[in-house]
Short mmCIF file of all heavy atoms in Angstrom, two decimals:
data_model
loop_
_atom_site.label_atom_id
_atom_site.label_comp_id
_atom_site.label_asym_id
_atom_site.label_seq_id
_atom_site.Cartn_x
_atom_site.Cartn_y
_atom_site.Cartn_z
N MET A 20 -104.67 -0.43 147.15
CA MET A 20 -104.47 -1.26 145.96
C MET A 20 -103.98 -0.39 144.80
O MET A 20 -104.66 0.54 144.38
CB MET A 20 -105.80 -1.95 145.58
CG MET A 20 -105.67 -2.91 144.41
SD MET A 20 -107.23 -3.77 144.09
CE MET A 20 -106.77 -4.68 142.61
N VAL A 21 -102.80 -0.67 144.31
CA VAL A 21 -102.24 0.10 143.20
C VAL A 21 -102.34 -0.69 141.91
O VAL A 21 -101.92 -1.85 141.86
CB VAL A 21 -100.75 0.46 143.47
CG1 VAL A 21 -100.18 1.23 142.30
CG2 VAL A 21 -100.63 1.25 144.76
N LEU A 22 -102.87 -0.03 140.89
CA LEU A 22 -103.02 -0.71 139.61
C LEU A 22 -102.03 -0.16 138.61
O LEU A 22 -101.59 0.98 138.71
CB LEU A 22 -104.44 -0.48 139.06
CG LEU A 22 -105.57 -1.15 139.86
CD1 LEU A 22 -106.91 -0.61 139.39
CD2 LEU A 22 -105.51 -2.65 139.67
N MET A 23 -101.69 -0.97 137.63
CA MET A 23 -100.86 -0.48 136.52
C MET A 23 -101.62 0.62 135.80
O MET A 23 -102.83 0.50 135.58
CB MET A 23 -100.58 -1.63 135.53
CG MET A 23 -99.80 -2.78 136.16
SD MET A 23 -98.01 -2.49 136.15
CE MET A 23 -97.69 -2.71 134.40
N PRO A 24 -100.97 1.72 135.42
CA PRO A 24 -101.66 2.84 134.77
C PRO A 24 -102.35 2.47 133.47
O PRO A 24 -103.35 3.07 133.09
CB PRO A 24 -100.55 3.87 134.52
CG PRO A 24 -99.27 3.18 134.76
CD PRO A 24 -99.54 1.98 135.61
N MET A 25 -101.87 1.47 132.79
CA MET A 25 -102.46 1.07 131.51
C MET A 25 -103.72 0.24 131.70
O MET A 25 -104.55 0.15 130.82
CB MET A 25 -101.45 0.25 130.69
CG MET A 25 -100.19 1.01 130.34
SD MET A 25 -100.46 2.23 129.05
CE MET A 25 -100.59 1.14 127.63
N LEU A 26 -103.82 -0.37 132.85
CA LEU A 26 -104.97 -1.25 133.08
C LEU A 26 -106.21 -0.47 133.49
O LEU A 26 -106.14 0.50 134.23
CB LEU A 26 -104.64 -2.26 134.17
CG LEU A 26 -103.67 -3.38 133.79
CD1 LEU A 26 -103.31 -4.20 135.02
CD2 LEU A 26 -104.26 -4.27 132.72
N HIS A 27 -107.33 -0.90 132.98
CA HIS A 27 -108.61 -0.31 133.38
C HIS A 27 -109.67 -1.39 133.29
O HIS A 27 -109.44 -2.45 132.71
CB HIS A 27 -108.97 0.88 132.47
CG HIS A 27 -109.05 0.51 131.03
ND1 HIS A 27 -110.22 0.12 130.42
CD2 HIS A 27 -108.08 0.45 130.08
CE1 HIS A 27 -109.95 -0.15 129.15
NE2 HIS A 27 -108.67 0.04 128.92
N GLY A 28 -110.84 -1.10 133.82
CA GLY A 28 -111.90 -2.11 133.85
C GLY A 28 -112.44 -2.38 132.46
O GLY A 28 -112.50 -1.51 131.60
N CYS A 29 -112.85 -3.62 132.25
CA CYS A 29 -113.51 -4.02 131.01
C CYS A 29 -114.76 -3.16 130.81
O CYS A 29 -115.49 -2.88 131.75
CB CYS A 29 -113.87 -5.49 131.09
SG CYS A 29 -114.95 -6.08 129.79
N ALA A 30 -114.98 -2.71 129.57
CA ALA A 30 -116.11 -1.82 129.28
C ALA A 30 -117.43 -2.56 129.21
O ALA A 30 -118.48 -1.94 129.09
CB ALA A 30 -115.85 -1.10 127.95
N PHE A 31 -117.38 -3.87 129.25
CA PHE A 31 -118.62 -4.65 129.19
C PHE A 31 -119.39 -4.47 130.48
O PHE A 31 -118.82 -4.59 131.57
CB PHE A 31 -118.29 -6.13 128.96
CG PHE A 31 -119.45 -6.92 128.44
CD1 PHE A 31 -119.71 -6.99 127.08
CD2 PHE A 31 -120.29 -7.59 129.32
CE1 PHE A 31 -120.78 -7.71 126.60
CE2 PHE A 31 -121.37 -8.32 128.85
CZ PHE A 31 -121.61 -8.38 127.49
N PRO A 32 -120.69 -4.16 130.40
CA PRO A 32 -121.50 -3.93 131.60
C PRO A 32 -121.47 -5.13 132.55
O PRO A 32 -121.71 -6.26 132.12
CB PRO A 32 -122.92 -3.72 131.06
CG PRO A 32 -122.74 -3.28 129.65
CD PRO A 32 -121.49 -3.99 129.17
N GLY A 33 -121.16 -4.86 133.80
CA GLY A 33 -121.17 -5.92 134.80
C GLY A 33 -119.86 -6.67 134.91
O GLY A 33 -119.73 -7.54 135.77
N CYS A 34 -118.90 -6.37 134.03
CA CYS A 34 -117.62 -7.07 134.07
C CYS A 34 -116.57 -6.18 134.72
O CYS A 34 -116.43 -5.02 134.36
CB CYS A 34 -117.18 -7.45 132.65
SG CYS A 34 -115.62 -8.35 132.64
N SER A 35 -115.86 -6.69 135.69
CA SER A 35 -114.87 -5.88 136.42
C SER A 35 -113.46 -6.38 136.17
O SER A 35 -112.54 -6.05 136.91
CB SER A 35 -115.19 -5.90 137.91
OG SER A 35 -115.24 -7.23 138.39
N THR A 36 -113.27 -7.17 135.12
CA THR A 36 -111.95 -7.67 134.78
C THR A 36 -111.08 -6.53 134.25
O THR A 36 -111.53 -5.74 133.43
CB THR A 36 -112.05 -8.76 133.70
OG1 THR A 36 -112.92 -9.78 134.15
CG2 THR A 36 -110.68 -9.36 133.41
N PHE A 37 -109.84 -6.43 134.77
CA PHE A 37 -108.96 -5.38 134.29
C PHE A 37 -108.26 -5.82 133.01
O PHE A 37 -107.88 -6.98 132.85
CB PHE A 37 -107.95 -5.00 135.37
CG PHE A 37 -108.58 -4.18 136.46
CD1 PHE A 37 -109.02 -4.77 137.63
CD2 PHE A 37 -108.76 -2.81 136.27
CE1 PHE A 37 -109.63 -4.00 138.63
CE2 PHE A 37 -109.36 -2.03 137.25
CZ PHE A 37 -109.80 -2.63 138.43
N THR A 38 -108.13 -4.87 132.09
CA THR A 38 -107.61 -5.19 130.77
C THR A 38 -106.82 -4.03 130.20
O THR A 38 -106.93 -2.89 130.66
CB THR A 38 -108.77 -5.55 129.82
OG1 THR A 38 -108.26 -5.75 128.52
CG2 THR A 38 -109.80 -4.43 129.77
N LEU A 39 -106.03 -4.29 129.17
CA LEU A 39 -105.27 -3.24 128.49
C LEU A 39 -106.07 -2.62 127.36
O LEU A 39 -105.84 -1.49 126.98
CB LEU A 39 -103.96 -3.83 127.91
CG LEU A 39 -102.92 -4.25 128.94
CD1 LEU A 39 -101.81 -5.02 128.25
CD2 LEU A 39 -102.35 -3.04 129.67
N SER A 40 -107.02 -3.37 126.82
CA SER A 40 -107.84 -2.85 125.73
C SER A 40 -109.21 -2.47 126.26
O SER A 40 -109.43 -2.44 127.47
CB SER A 40 -107.95 -3.89 124.61
OG SER A 40 -108.35 -5.13 125.13
N THR A 41 -110.14 -2.17 125.38
CA THR A 41 -111.46 -1.72 125.81
C THR A 41 -112.16 -2.79 126.63
O THR A 41 -112.74 -2.52 127.68
CB THR A 41 -112.33 -1.37 124.59
OG1 THR A 41 -111.59 -0.47 123.76
CG2 THR A 41 -113.62 -0.70 125.01
N TYR A 42 -112.09 -4.02 126.14
CA TYR A 42 -112.74 -5.13 126.83
C TYR A 42 -111.69 -6.13 127.28
O TYR A 42 -110.58 -6.18 126.75
CB TYR A 42 -113.72 -5.84 125.89
CG TYR A 42 -114.86 -4.96 125.42
CD1 TYR A 42 -114.82 -4.37 124.18
CD2 TYR A 42 -115.97 -4.74 126.24
CE1 TYR A 42 -115.87 -3.56 123.74
CE2 TYR A 42 -117.01 -3.93 125.82
CZ TYR A 42 -116.96 -3.34 124.56
OH TYR A 42 -117.98 -2.55 124.14
N CYS A 43 -112.04 -6.98 128.21
CA CYS A 43 -111.19 -8.08 128.58
C CYS A 43 -111.19 -9.08 127.41
O CYS A 43 -112.01 -8.97 126.50
CB CYS A 43 -111.67 -8.75 129.88
SG CYS A 43 -113.27 -9.58 129.73
N VAL A 44 -110.29 -10.03 127.44
CA VAL A 44 -110.16 -10.96 126.31
C VAL A 44 -111.49 -11.64 125.99
O VAL A 44 -111.90 -11.74 124.85
CB VAL A 44 -109.07 -12.02 126.61
CG1 VAL A 44 -108.99 -13.03 125.48
CG2 VAL A 44 -107.73 -11.34 126.83
N GLU A 45 -112.17 -12.06 127.04
CA GLU A 45 -113.43 -12.78 126.87
C GLU A 45 -114.47 -11.93 126.15
O GLU A 45 -115.09 -12.35 125.18
CB GLU A 45 -113.95 -13.20 128.25
CG GLU A 45 -115.16 -14.10 128.20
CD GLU A 45 -115.72 -14.34 129.59
OE1 GLU A 45 -114.97 -14.11 130.57
OE2 GLU A 45 -116.87 -14.75 129.71
N HIS A 46 -114.63 -10.69 126.62
CA HIS A 46 -115.66 -9.84 126.04
C HIS A 46 -115.21 -9.19 124.74
O HIS A 46 -116.02 -8.82 123.90
CB HIS A 46 -116.07 -8.78 127.06
CG HIS A 46 -116.88 -9.36 128.19
ND1 HIS A 46 -116.54 -9.23 129.51
CD2 HIS A 46 -118.01 -10.12 128.15
CE1 HIS A 46 -117.43 -9.87 130.25
NE2 HIS A 46 -118.32 -10.43 129.45
N GLU A 47 -113.90 -9.05 124.54
CA GLU A 47 -113.38 -8.58 123.26
C GLU A 47 -113.84 -9.53 122.15
O GLU A 47 -114.36 -9.12 121.12
CB GLU A 47 -111.85 -8.53 123.31
CG GLU A 47 -111.21 -8.05 122.02
CD GLU A 47 -111.35 -6.55 121.82
OE1 GLU A 47 -111.07 -5.79 122.77
OE2 GLU A 47 -111.76 -6.14 120.72
N LEU A 48 -113.68 -10.82 122.41
CA LEU A 48 -114.10 -11.84 121.44
C LEU A 48 -115.61 -11.83 121.28
O LEU A 48 -116.14 -11.94 120.17
CB LEU A 48 -113.63 -13.22 121.90
CG LEU A 48 -112.11 -13.43 121.85
CD1 LEU A 48 -111.76 -14.77 122.49
CD2 LEU A 48 -111.59 -13.38 120.42
N LEU A 49 -116.32 -11.68 122.39
CA LEU A 49 -117.78 -11.71 122.36
C LEU A 49 -118.33 -10.54 121.55
O LEU A 49 -119.16 -10.71 120.66
CB LEU A 49 -118.32 -11.65 123.80
CG LEU A 49 -119.83 -11.72 123.94
CD1 LEU A 49 -120.34 -13.11 123.64
CD2 LEU A 49 -120.26 -11.32 125.35
N VAL A 50 -117.81 -9.35 121.84
CA VAL A 50 -118.27 -8.14 121.14
C VAL A 50 -117.92 -8.22 119.66
O VAL A 50 -118.70 -7.85 118.79
CB VAL A 50 -117.65 -6.88 121.78
CG1 VAL A 50 -117.86 -5.66 120.90
CG2 VAL A 50 -118.25 -6.64 123.15
N ARG A 51 -116.73 -8.73 119.38
CA ARG A 51 -116.31 -8.86 117.98
C ARG A 51 -117.24 -9.82 117.23
O ARG A 51 -117.65 -9.57 116.11
CB ARG A 51 -114.86 -9.37 117.92
CG ARG A 51 -114.19 -9.05 116.60
CD ARG A 51 -112.74 -9.48 116.62
NE ARG A 51 -111.95 -8.74 117.61
CZ ARG A 51 -110.67 -9.00 117.88
NH1 ARG A 51 -110.06 -9.98 117.25
NH2 ARG A 51 -110.02 -8.29 118.76
N ALA A 52 -117.56 -10.94 117.86
CA ALA A 52 -118.46 -11.93 117.25
C ALA A 52 -119.85 -11.33 117.03
O ALA A 52 -120.48 -11.56 115.99
CB ALA A 52 -118.55 -13.16 118.14
N LEU A 53 -120.31 -10.55 118.00
CA LEU A 53 -121.63 -9.92 117.87
C LEU A 53 -121.64 -8.93 116.71
O LEU A 53 -122.58 -8.88 115.92
CB LEU A 53 -121.98 -9.18 119.17
CG LEU A 53 -122.49 -10.05 120.32
CD1 LEU A 53 -122.65 -9.21 121.57
CD2 LEU A 53 -123.82 -10.69 119.95
N LYS A 54 -120.57 -8.14 116.59
CA LYS A 54 -120.50 -7.16 115.50
C LYS A 54 -120.46 -7.86 114.15
O LYS A 54 -121.10 -7.44 113.20
CB LYS A 54 -119.24 -6.29 115.67
CG LYS A 54 -119.44 -5.15 116.65
CD LYS A 54 -118.20 -4.30 116.72
CE LYS A 54 -118.37 -3.19 117.76
NZ LYS A 54 -117.10 -2.46 117.99
N GLU A 55 -119.69 -8.93 114.08
CA GLU A 55 -119.58 -9.68 112.83
C GLU A 55 -120.93 -10.24 112.39
O GLU A 55 -121.35 -10.09 111.25
CB GLU A 55 -118.57 -10.83 112.98
CG GLU A 55 -117.13 -10.37 112.96
CD GLU A 55 -116.72 -9.82 111.61
OE1 GLU A 55 -117.05 -10.45 110.59
OE2 GLU A 55 -116.09 -8.75 111.57
N SER A 56 -121.63 -10.87 113.32
CA SER A 56 -122.93 -11.47 112.99
C SER A 56 -123.96 -10.38 112.66
O SER A 56 -124.80 -10.55 111.79
CB SER A 56 -123.43 -12.32 114.16
OG SER A 56 -123.78 -11.50 115.25
N GLU A 57 -123.86 -9.25 113.36
CA GLU A 57 -124.77 -8.13 113.10
C GLU A 57 -124.56 -7.62 111.68
O GLU A 57 -125.51 -7.40 110.93
CB GLU A 57 -124.46 -7.01 114.09
CG GLU A 57 -125.70 -6.35 114.65
CD GLU A 57 -125.35 -5.41 115.78
OE1 GLU A 57 -124.70 -4.40 115.49
OE2 GLU A 57 -125.70 -5.69 116.93
N ARG A 58 -123.31 -7.45 111.30
CA ARG A 58 -122.98 -6.92 109.99
C ARG A 58 -123.41 -7.90 108.90
O ARG A 58 -123.99 -7.52 107.90
CB ARG A 58 -121.46 -6.66 109.90
CG ARG A 58 -121.10 -5.79 108.73
CD ARG A 58 -119.67 -5.30 108.84
NE ARG A 58 -118.73 -6.41 108.97
CZ ARG A 58 -117.43 -6.24 109.14
NH1 ARG A 58 -116.93 -5.05 109.23
NH2 ARG A 58 -116.63 -7.27 109.23
N THR A 59 -123.14 -9.16 109.10
CA THR A 59 -123.52 -10.18 108.13
C THR A 59 -125.04 -10.21 107.97
O THR A 59 -125.55 -10.26 106.85
CB THR A 59 -123.03 -11.57 108.59
OG1 THR A 59 -121.65 -11.49 108.87
CG2 THR A 59 -123.28 -12.62 107.51
N HIS A 60 -125.74 -10.12 109.10
CA HIS A 60 -127.20 -10.16 109.07
C HIS A 60 -127.75 -8.94 108.34
O HIS A 60 -128.65 -9.04 107.52
CB HIS A 60 -127.74 -10.21 110.50
CG HIS A 60 -129.22 -10.29 110.59
ND1 HIS A 60 -129.91 -11.45 110.30
CD2 HIS A 60 -130.16 -9.37 110.88
CE1 HIS A 60 -131.20 -11.21 110.43
NE2 HIS A 60 -131.39 -9.96 110.79
N THR A 61 -127.19 -7.76 108.62
CA THR A 61 -127.65 -6.51 108.01
C THR A 61 -127.45 -6.55 106.51
O THR A 61 -128.33 -6.19 105.74
CB THR A 61 -126.90 -5.31 108.61
OG1 THR A 61 -127.02 -5.35 110.02
CG2 THR A 61 -127.47 -4.00 108.09
N ILE A 62 -126.29 -6.99 106.08
CA ILE A 62 -125.98 -7.03 104.65
C ILE A 62 -126.94 -7.97 103.92
O ILE A 62 -127.53 -7.61 102.93
CB ILE A 62 -124.51 -7.47 104.43
CG1 ILE A 62 -123.58 -6.32 104.82
CG2 ILE A 62 -124.29 -7.84 102.96
CD1 ILE A 62 -122.12 -6.70 104.83
N SER A 63 -127.14 -9.17 104.46
CA SER A 63 -128.01 -10.14 103.79
C SER A 63 -129.46 -9.67 103.81
O SER A 63 -130.20 -9.85 102.86
CB SER A 63 -127.88 -11.50 104.45
OG SER A 63 -128.31 -11.43 105.79
N ALA A 64 -129.87 -9.01 104.91
CA ALA A 64 -131.25 -8.53 105.03
C ALA A 64 -131.53 -7.43 104.03
O ALA A 64 -132.63 -7.34 103.48
CB ALA A 64 -131.51 -8.03 106.44
N LEU A 65 -130.53 -6.59 103.76
CA LEU A 65 -130.72 -5.51 102.81
C LEU A 65 -130.56 -6.01 101.38
O LEU A 65 -131.19 -5.51 100.46
CB LEU A 65 -129.70 -4.39 103.06
CG LEU A 65 -129.94 -3.52 104.30
CD1 LEU A 65 -128.75 -2.59 104.51
CD2 LEU A 65 -131.20 -2.69 104.13
N ASP A 66 -129.70 -6.97 101.21
CA ASP A 66 -129.33 -7.41 99.86
C ASP A 66 -130.39 -8.32 99.24
O ASP A 66 -130.75 -8.15 98.10
CB ASP A 66 -127.99 -8.13 99.93
CG ASP A 66 -127.36 -8.24 98.55
OD1 ASP A 66 -127.57 -7.32 97.74
OD2 ASP A 66 -126.67 -9.24 98.29
N GLU A 67 -130.89 -9.26 100.01
CA GLU A 67 -131.77 -10.28 99.45
C GLU A 67 -133.10 -9.74 98.89
O GLU A 67 -133.45 -10.06 97.77
CB GLU A 67 -132.02 -11.37 100.49
CG GLU A 67 -130.85 -12.35 100.55
CD GLU A 67 -130.98 -13.31 101.72
OE1 GLU A 67 -132.10 -13.52 102.19
OE2 GLU A 67 -129.96 -13.83 102.15
N PRO A 68 -133.83 -8.91 99.64
CA PRO A 68 -135.10 -8.41 99.11
C PRO A 68 -134.89 -7.56 97.86
O PRO A 68 -135.68 -7.60 96.93
CB PRO A 68 -135.65 -7.54 100.25
CG PRO A 68 -134.93 -7.99 101.46
CD PRO A 68 -133.57 -8.43 101.00
N LEU A 69 -133.81 -6.79 97.85
CA LEU A 69 -133.52 -5.93 96.72
C LEU A 69 -133.27 -6.78 95.48
O LEU A 69 -133.81 -6.51 94.41
CB LEU A 69 -132.28 -5.08 97.03
CG LEU A 69 -132.08 -3.86 96.13
CD1 LEU A 69 -133.08 -2.78 96.50
CD2 LEU A 69 -130.67 -3.32 96.30
N THR A 70 -132.47 -7.81 95.62
CA THR A 70 -132.18 -8.70 94.51
C THR A 70 -133.45 -9.40 94.03
O THR A 70 -133.72 -9.46 92.84
CB THR A 70 -131.13 -9.75 94.92
OG1 THR A 70 -130.02 -9.09 95.50
CG2 THR A 70 -130.68 -10.56 93.72
N ALA A 71 -134.25 -9.86 94.97
CA ALA A 71 -135.49 -10.55 94.64
C ALA A 71 -136.44 -9.61 93.90
O ALA A 71 -137.09 -9.99 92.94
CB ALA A 71 -136.16 -11.08 95.90
N GLU A 72 -136.49 -8.37 94.36
CA GLU A 72 -137.38 -7.38 93.75
C GLU A 72 -136.96 -7.11 92.31
O GLU A 72 -137.78 -7.06 91.40
CB GLU A 72 -137.34 -6.09 94.56
CG GLU A 72 -138.51 -5.17 94.23
CD GLU A 72 -138.38 -3.83 94.91
OE1 GLU A 72 -137.39 -3.63 95.64
OE2 GLU A 72 -139.25 -3.00 94.71
N LEU A 73 -135.67 -6.94 92.12
CA LEU A 73 -135.16 -6.66 90.78
C LEU A 73 -135.43 -7.84 89.85
O LEU A 73 -135.81 -7.67 88.71
CB LEU A 73 -133.66 -6.37 90.84
CG LEU A 73 -133.29 -5.00 91.43
CD1 LEU A 73 -131.78 -4.90 91.60
CD2 LEU A 73 -133.79 -3.87 90.55
N GLU A 74 -135.24 -9.04 90.36
CA GLU A 74 -135.46 -10.23 89.55
C GLU A 74 -136.94 -10.36 89.19
O GLU A 74 -137.29 -10.67 88.06
CB GLU A 74 -134.99 -11.47 90.30
CG GLU A 74 -133.47 -11.63 90.22
CD GLU A 74 -132.99 -12.75 91.13
OE1 GLU A 74 -133.84 -13.42 91.75
OE2 GLU A 74 -131.78 -12.96 91.20
N THR A 75 -137.82 -10.09 90.15
CA THR A 75 -139.26 -10.16 89.90
C THR A 75 -139.67 -9.11 88.87
O THR A 75 -140.42 -9.40 87.94
CB THR A 75 -140.04 -9.90 91.21
OG1 THR A 75 -139.55 -10.77 92.20
CG2 THR A 75 -141.52 -10.12 91.00
N ARG A 76 -139.13 -7.91 89.04
CA ARG A 76 -139.46 -6.84 88.12
C ARG A 76 -138.99 -7.19 86.71
O ARG A 76 -139.71 -6.99 85.74
CB ARG A 76 -138.78 -5.55 88.60
CG ARG A 76 -139.53 -4.31 88.17
CD ARG A 76 -138.87 -3.07 88.71
NE ARG A 76 -139.08 -2.89 90.14
CZ ARG A 76 -138.44 -2.01 90.89
NH1 ARG A 76 -137.51 -1.24 90.35
NH2 ARG A 76 -138.69 -1.90 92.17
N GLY A 77 -137.81 -7.73 86.63
CA GLY A 77 -137.26 -8.10 85.32
C GLY A 77 -138.09 -9.20 84.68
O GLY A 77 -138.35 -9.17 83.48
N ALA A 78 -138.57 -10.15 85.49
CA ALA A 78 -139.37 -11.25 84.97
C ALA A 78 -140.72 -10.74 84.47
O ALA A 78 -141.20 -11.16 83.42
CB ALA A 78 -139.58 -12.30 86.06
N ASN A 79 -141.32 -9.81 85.22
CA ASN A 79 -142.60 -9.24 84.81
C ASN A 79 -142.47 -8.48 83.49
O ASN A 79 -143.35 -8.52 82.65
CB ASN A 79 -143.14 -8.30 85.89
CG ASN A 79 -143.73 -9.07 87.07
OD1 ASN A 79 -144.00 -10.26 86.95
ND2 ASN A 79 -143.89 -8.40 88.18
N MET A 80 -141.39 -7.76 83.35
CA MET A 80 -141.19 -6.98 82.14
C MET A 80 -140.87 -7.89 80.96
O MET A 80 -141.21 -7.59 79.83
CB MET A 80 -140.05 -5.97 82.35
CG MET A 80 -140.48 -4.80 83.25
SD MET A 80 -139.09 -3.78 83.74
CE MET A 80 -138.81 -2.87 82.24
N ALA A 81 -140.23 -9.01 81.25
CA ALA A 81 -139.86 -9.93 80.18
C ALA A 81 -141.11 -10.61 79.62
O ALA A 81 -141.22 -10.86 78.44
CB ALA A 81 -138.89 -10.97 80.72
N THR A 82 -142.07 -10.89 80.51
CA THR A 82 -143.33 -11.48 80.05
C THR A 82 -144.26 -10.38 79.53
O THR A 82 -143.85 -9.24 79.39
CB THR A 82 -144.02 -12.27 81.19
OG1 THR A 82 -144.13 -11.42 82.32
CG2 THR A 82 -143.22 -13.49 81.55
N GLU A 83 -145.50 -10.65 79.33
CA GLU A 83 -146.41 -9.66 78.76
C GLU A 83 -146.78 -8.61 79.81
O GLU A 83 -147.45 -8.94 80.79
CB GLU A 83 -147.67 -10.37 78.25
CG GLU A 83 -147.34 -11.40 77.17
CD GLU A 83 -148.45 -12.39 77.00
OE1 GLU A 83 -149.42 -12.07 76.32
OE2 GLU A 83 -148.35 -13.50 77.57
N PRO A 84 -146.40 -7.35 79.62
CA PRO A 84 -146.66 -6.29 80.61
C PRO A 84 -148.15 -6.00 80.72
O PRO A 84 -148.64 -5.65 81.79
CB PRO A 84 -145.95 -5.07 80.02
CG PRO A 84 -145.03 -5.60 78.96
CD PRO A 84 -145.65 -6.88 78.47
N GLY A 85 -148.94 -6.14 79.70
CA GLY A 85 -150.35 -5.80 79.73
C GLY A 85 -151.18 -6.78 80.52
O GLY A 85 -152.25 -6.45 81.01
N THR A 86 -150.70 -8.02 80.70
CA THR A 86 -151.47 -9.04 81.40
C THR A 86 -150.90 -9.34 82.79
O THR A 86 -151.13 -10.38 83.34
CB THR A 86 -151.50 -10.34 80.58
OG1 THR A 86 -150.16 -10.73 80.34
CG2 THR A 86 -152.20 -10.13 79.24
N ALA A 87 -150.12 -8.39 83.34
CA ALA A 87 -149.46 -8.61 84.62
C ALA A 87 -150.46 -8.70 85.78
O ALA A 87 -150.18 -9.36 86.78
CB ALA A 87 -148.47 -7.47 84.89
N LEU A 88 -151.60 -8.09 85.68
CA LEU A 88 -152.59 -8.06 86.78
C LEU A 88 -153.45 -9.31 86.79
O LEU A 88 -154.13 -9.60 87.75
CB LEU A 88 -153.48 -6.82 86.66
CG LEU A 88 -152.76 -5.48 86.94
CD1 LEU A 88 -153.71 -4.33 86.66
CD2 LEU A 88 -152.29 -5.44 88.40
N ILE A 89 -153.48 -10.05 85.73
CA ILE A 89 -154.34 -11.25 85.66
C ILE A 89 -153.69 -12.41 86.39
O ILE A 89 -152.53 -12.69 86.17
CB ILE A 89 -154.62 -11.64 84.19
CG1 ILE A 89 -155.38 -10.47 83.51
CG2 ILE A 89 -155.39 -12.95 84.11
CD1 ILE A 89 -155.50 -10.63 82.02
ZN1 ZN B 120 -115.11 -8.36 130.37
#
């Protein structure tokens, strides 16, 4: 069996589809979607608590600082 020199197996574990890029079309889309959702999730996870913390801190300072523990 002779293969085109440019073709190689999909890098996705368990997939033996031959492709010109790292992954076959199916897994290229899958991996891209996973990376996108991962990045979106990471950004929102890091961003939201920080923003909430700053807002809480600002609100506490805006009100009476001496009675913050009550
Ligand atoms: Zn694949």
Side-chain angles (χ1 to χ4, degrees):
M20 184 176 175
V21 179
L22 293 168
M23 297 276 288
M25 298 286 286
L26 287 173
H27 58 91
C29 169
F31 199 87
C34 181
S35 56
T36 305
F37 285 97
T38 175
L39 291 170
S40 52
T41 308
Y42 298 100
C43 66
V44 177
E45 187 187 342
H46 288 124
E47 180 75 47
L48 292 173
L49 182 72
V50 168
R51 201 176 296 175
L53 281 174
K54 278 183 183 172
E55 284 293 315
S56 69
E57 222 171 67
R58 195 167 56 183
T59 307
H60 182 74
T61 306
I62 287 172
S63 63
L65 287 172
D66 197 33
E67 280 171 24
L69 197 74
T70 309
E72 196 187 0
L73 287 173
E74 281 172 3
T75 307
R76 208 177 286 169
N79 284 344
M80 286 170 76
T82 53
E83 300 161 81
T86 56
L88 291 174
I89 299 170

